[in-house]
């Protein structure tokens, strides 16, 4: 493994001085910083692309030829299955009692270029006892990562998928679950292409010969997964109008990315630093013109942090950026935000032409430290209400971002299962 020369020279640390020493002692083993600093030398933090091959007995997507694009990719329609394979899903090294089929499928990015991504269809070994056909739940994990090995098609097989407990509730009820790599091979997180890949993952599951052709569909996702679910809910009527999606349960959404961006890069809440870095870098992968501008505004240290994040998954991204607010690695933060505005606006929700046409269950913490509701979702929710969306909104009190996923979990799962089975979605919030 190549040893990084990463060090810690954050302007914030220089201001903290001696008070930062206890925190440095705790994070020294998990935090990698920009190169060339003289203040504190920290051990390098390996990324998951380096660690997983040493501990997981299956190849990462970067080294697995199954993921390769076919030469005739453009000849496939969106949602068509390119190839399939039966795999074993694991939970912490223990085989899970579900039948798992992976499908490589064709989708499209925001520029309508053909792309290939993977999805995993999980079929429980118990019958669906509800009315009608077995539902298909499209489960969007909060991937929040920039490396292919972080995507669920790999982590489900490796036994390190972090949201499998929620997923299993749908399986235990007899529903099928489709889990798509909705950030694609390039991990273009927060891009509108997330919604396209979710919808094409559903198409592939229904075209894959798995008996799900007539399955009613529900969407579930929280945080980064909520972003993908909301994107799919907004784009369905234009991109995949044939899909019978009965409802979307989507929580903790960074809906207004223009409004949330200054907070995300500011360092006001260190736990939120990773959201700014990952969203900006993910969007830059989807919008090359923005990528060129962003690189000009990053300081030399900022470029090294950005390069260090290229293959990281969520947890090491959080550790790497905890003491590094992005604003302190930009030569002109306001100008950089102005350059990012077109991409942030394109990735935001609430445009009238993208009004969801399905029942929604939305929820958000009243004290979310990563995505404050007044910045992230309040204006989007108000716009949905004004345009008559069939919506209900839960404000989760006495919580923060993580607990706001867990507290209403049973209710959101039960609501989506019931709605997918044909139940009335309940009273609207407005």
């Amino acid at each position: 493994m190549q040893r990084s020369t990463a060090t810690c020279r954050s302007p914030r640390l220089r201001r903290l001085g001696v008070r930062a020493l206890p925190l440095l002692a705790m994070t020294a083993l998990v935090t990698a910083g920009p190169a060339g600093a003289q203040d504190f030398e920290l051990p390098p933090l390996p990324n998951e692309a380096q660690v997983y091959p040493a501990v997981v007995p299956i190849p990462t997507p970067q080294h697995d030829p199954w993921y390769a694009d076919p030469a005739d990719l453009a000849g496939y329609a969106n949602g068509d299955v390119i190839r399939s394979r039966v795999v074993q899903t694991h939970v912490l090294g223990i085989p899970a009692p579900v039948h798992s089929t992976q499908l490589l499928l064709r989708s499209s990015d925001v520029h309508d270029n053909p792309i290939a991504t993977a999805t995993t269809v999980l079929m429980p070994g118990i019958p669906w006892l509800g009315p009608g056909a077995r539902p298909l739940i499209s489960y969007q994990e909060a991937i929040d990562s920039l490396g292919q090995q972080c995507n669920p098609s790999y982590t489900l097989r490796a036994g390190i998928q972090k949201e499998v407990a929620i997923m299993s509730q749908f399986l235990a009820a007899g529903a099928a679950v489709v889990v798509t790599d909705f950030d694609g091979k390039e991990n273009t997180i927060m891009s509108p292409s997330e919604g396209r890949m979710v919808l094409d993952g559903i198409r592939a599951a229904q075209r894959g010969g798995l008996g799900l052709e007539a399955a009613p569909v529900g969407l579930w996702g929280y945080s980064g997964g909520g972003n993908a679910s909301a994107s799919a809910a907004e784009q369905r009527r234009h991109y995949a109008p044939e899909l019978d999606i009965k409802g979307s349960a989507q929580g903790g959404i960074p809906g207004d990315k223009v409004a949330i961006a200054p907070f995300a890069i500011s360092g006001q809440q260190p736990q939120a630093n990773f959201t700014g870095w990952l969203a900006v870098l993910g969007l830059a992968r989807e919008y090359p013109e923005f990528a060129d501008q962003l690189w000009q505004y990053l300081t030399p240290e900022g470029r090294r942090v950005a390069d260090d994040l290229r293959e990281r998954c969520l947890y090491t991204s959080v550790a790497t950026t905890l003491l590094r607010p992005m604003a302190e690695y930009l030569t002109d933060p306001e100008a950089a935000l102005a350059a990012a505005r077109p991409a942030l606006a394109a990735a935001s929700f609430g445009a009238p032409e993208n009004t969801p046409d399905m029942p929604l269950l939305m929820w958000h913490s009243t004290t979310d430290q990563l995505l404050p509701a007044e910045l992230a979702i309040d204006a989007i929710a108000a716009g949905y209400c004004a345009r008559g969306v069939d919506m209900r909104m839960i404000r989760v009190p006495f919580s923060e971002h993580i607990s706001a996923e867990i507290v209403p979990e049973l209710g959101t799962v039960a609501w989506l299962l019931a709605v997918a089975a044909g139940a009335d979605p309940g009273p609207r919030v407005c």
Side-chain angles (χ1 to χ4, degrees):
M1 185 181 301
Q2 183 179 1
R3 188 184 190 280
S4 168
T5 57
T7 53
C8 182
R9 194 190 176 193
S10 167
R12 179 170 294 273
L13 289 182
R14 289 199 295 269
R15 292 199 300 270
L16 288 172
V18 174
R19 289 178 295 169
L21 290 176
L23 185 56
L24 280 171
M26 291 186 290
T27 60
L29 294 178
V30 294
T31 309
Q38 304 298 321
D39 301 305
F40 298 101
E41 181 79 22
L42 296 181
L45 176 64
N47 65 47
E48 290 83 353
Q50 297 166 319
V51 172
Y52 289 168
V55 297
V56 178
I58 58 173
T60 58
Q62 299 92 320
H63 301 100
D64 187 343
W66 185 85
Y67 288 88
D69 290 5
D72 58 345
L73 177 61
Y76 289 83
N78 288 328
D80 277 357
V81 177
I82 299 167
R83 66 181 68 100
S84 66
R85 63 182 177 183
V86 174
V87 299
Q88 177 63 63
T89 294
H90 292 85
V91 179
L92 297 177
I94 301 173
V98 295
H99 186 273
S100 305
T101 304
Q102 290 193 332
L103 310 171
L104 191 72
L105 61 114
R106 181 245 161 95
S107 189
S108 298
D109 67 13
V110 296
H111 311 291
D112 293 322
N113 298 313
I115 56 175
T117 193
T119 196
T120 306
V121 183
L122 307 175
M123 295 286 290
I126 57 175
W128 166 252
L129 299 179
R134 185 193 299 267
L136 176 64
I137 302 300
S138 180
Y139 187 99
Q140 282 61 253
E141 178 203 359
I143 300 171
D144 296 347
S145 304
L146 293 171
Q148 281 191 65
Q149 75 285 346
C150 318
N151 290 332
S153 66
Y154 177 77
T155 60
L156 282 166
R157 296 178 66 206
I160 51 177
Q161 215 281 341
K162 63 183 184 298
E163 296 184 26
V164 71
I166 303 176
M167 215 178 292
S168 65
Q169 294 183 46
F170 293 109
L171 294 166
V177 175
V178 57
V179 192
T180 299
D181 294 359
F182 59 76
D183 285 324
K185 297 181 185 181
E186 299 299 321
N187 284 74
T188 52
I189 65 175
M190 299 298 165
S191 165
S193 62
E194 288 191 341
R196 292 185 168 198
M197 284 184 261
V198 167
L199 295 168
D200 285 326
I202 297 168
R203 282 169 159 165
Q206 295 190 320
R207 296 174 188 175
L210 301 173
L212 297 170
E213 295 81 1
V217 179
L219 306 172
W220 197 99
Y222 183 80
S223 191
N227 188 84
S229 296
S231 181
E234 285 205 342
Q235 295 187 66
R236 188 211 67 87
R237 68 162 68 193
H238 302 299
Y239 188 79
E242 81 281 5
L243 291 181
D244 183 22
I245 301 181
K246 300 296 188 181
S248 180
Q250 50 192 51
I253 301 168
D256 189 339
K257 295 172 182 64
V258 174
I260 199 71
F263 171 83
I265 73 167
S266 69
Q268 296 177 48
Q269 173 53 259
Q271 295 176 62
N273 287 345
F274 79 97
T275 64
W277 282 100
L278 296 188
V280 168
L281 295 175
L283 286 173
R285 293 179 175 185
E286 189 76 274
Y287 298 97
E289 64 280 6
F290 167 51
D292 293 340
Q293 294 173 309
L294 172 64
W295 205 251
Q296 294 175 10
Y297 286 114
L298 284 168
T299 65
E301 292 87 352
R303 294 178 185 179
R304 283 188 280 268
V305 174
D307 186 65
D308 180 68
L309 287 168
R310 276 188 311 113
E311 295 288 340
R312 293 199 180 278
C313 299
L314 174 61
Y315 297 124
T316 66
S317 294
V318 173
T320 296
T321 59
L322 184 65
L323 302 177
R324 293 173 176 82
M326 192 174 193
E328 296 183 354
Y329 294 83
L330 296 168
T331 57
D332 188 337
E334 291 188 7
L337 283 174
R341 187 180 180 91
L344 292 167
S348 294
F349 303 130
E353 64 271 20
N354 292 330
T355 300
D357 60 351
M358 65 188 68
L360 302 182
L361 172 61
M362 298 173 63
W363 71 99
H364 209 100
S365 170
T366 57
T367 51
D368 194 311
Q369 83 282 20
L370 301 186
L371 303 170
E374 63 274 15
L375 299 174
I377 200 63
D378 284 355
I380 308 299
Y384 282 172
C385 280
R387 294 193 297 278
V389 174
D390 185 356
M391 184 182 81
R392 55 267 332 129
M393 181 75 174
I394 299 173
R395 305 286 181 171
V396 185
F398 309 112
S399 61
E400 43 70 60
H401 188 74
I402 303 301
S403 59
E405 175 182 22
I406 299 168
V407 170
E409 175 187 316
L410 294 177
T412 61
V413 168
W415 179 87
L416 188 59
L417 285 168
V419 169
D424 188 293
R428 304 185 183 196
V429 72
C430 53

